[in-house]
Amino acid sequence: MLKFQHIKCVCPHAPIKPVTLNAGMKMPSWFDIHGLDSNSPQDTAGIKEASHTLQTLVEKEVSSGIPRNRIFIGGFSQGGAVALYTAFAVNKPIGGVVALSTWLPLHKVIMKEGEPKYNKDVPVLQCHGTHDPLVHFHWGQETCGFLRSFNPNVEFKSYEGMMHSSCPEEMQDVKEFLEKHLGS
C-alpha cells in the first residue's frame, strides 16, 4: 500500500533472538521483552543496540545524499519503539517519525539527560488500536502525552477495535502523513 514515486521505504526485519516473555524462545525481536507492563524491566543494552542498527541505516541514506530532514524513521511495535527512542534519545536530527502500536522505551532515561536537543518539533504520527492486548492502548496514549510535553507536532490516531495489528485506514493515514511532509 505504501508505494511512492519518489519516496524510498527501507523496512528492515528484526533479528532472531531469545525473548524472556516468550519463555526464552527465539523469535524476531529488536530487543528482549521481560513483561507486558509499563513497570517491567527494560533491556537497555538491547534497545541501544537496536537504535545503533537504525542509526547505521540512517547514516547510509545520509551518505548517499539524502538530507536528514527528508529521512523519516518508524516501525510497528518494537520497531516503532526503537524509532521513537532513536529520534529523542540520540540527538541527531531527522525529518519525522511513524510509530505504530508502540511506546517510547527508556523515557525516564531520556528526561534525566534533559529535554532532547534535536527533533523537539519533528512531525510524529503515532497510531494505535483501541483493543491492543500486547502494547496496551493507554501506553500509546501515555507515550503521546510524554512526547507532547516537549514536541507540539505529535499526531495521535486511534483505530476502534484494532488489536496488535494494522488496518487499511491506518496505512492510508501513514501514506497521507508521509505525502504531507515529504511531498507526493
Side-chain angles (χ1 to χ4, degrees):
M1 279 185 74
L2 295 179
K3 295 190 181 197
F4 302 98
Q5 287 190 350
H6 69 285
I7 298 173
K8 176 182 175 183
C9 293
V10 177
C11 301
H13 293 281
I16 304 297
K17 295 182 175 192
V19 175
T20 301
L21 183 66
N22 198 20
M25 292 179 60
K26 292 183 176 185
M27 60 185 281
S29 185
W30 288 110
F31 50 88
D32 196 9
I33 302 172
H34 298 277
L36 297 177
D37 179 300
S38 59
N39 295 316
S40 296
Q42 296 185 64
D43 178 12
T44 302
I47 292 165
K48 289 182 177 184
E49 178 185 334
S51 175
H52 179 74
T53 299
L54 177 55
Q55 292 171 60
T56 300
L57 291 171
V58 169
E59 292 306 322
K60 182 178 176 186
E61 297 303 317
V62 170
S63 69
S64 75
I66 308 296
R68 284 187 165 279
N69 68 341
R70 301 266 315 150
I71 297 174
F72 280 51
I73 59 176
F76 175 82
S77 194
Q78 282 190 321
V82 171
L84 286 171
Y85 174 80
T86 301
F88 300 111
V90 174
N91 287 328
K92 288 194 174 184
I94 56 158
V97 181
V98 175
L100 310 177
S101 300
T102 195
W103 74 103
L104 175 60
L106 305 175
H107 69 283
K108 291 177 185 172
V109 173
I110 292 171
M111 289 316 284
K112 265 188 197 173
E113 297 170 2
E115 197 172 274
K117 293 176 183 68
Y118 296 102
N119 305 322
K120 291 191 300 188
D121 60 354
V122 297
V124 175
L125 175 63
Q126 189 183 352
C127 301
H128 215 110
T130 60
H131 288 72
D132 191 329
L134 298 179
V135 180
H136 298 282
F137 183 67
H138 69 87
W139 292 355
Q141 291 175 311
E142 288 174 14
T143 293
C144 178
F146 176 76
L147 295 174
R148 284 182 176 160
S149 73
F150 60 85
N151 182 344
N153 293 321
V154 178
E155 183 178 354
F156 186 86
K157 294 199 172 251
S158 62
Y159 305 89
E160 187 61 41
M162 189 173 82
M163 298 183 75
H164 195 64
S165 61
S166 188
C167 66
E169 181 185 1
E170 180 185 50
M171 289 298 98
Q172 184 61 37
D173 289 338
V174 169
K175 184 176 183 185
E176 289 172 7
F177 174 78
L178 293 172
E179 288 175 339
K180 174 182 175 184
H181 295 287
L182 294 171
S184 55

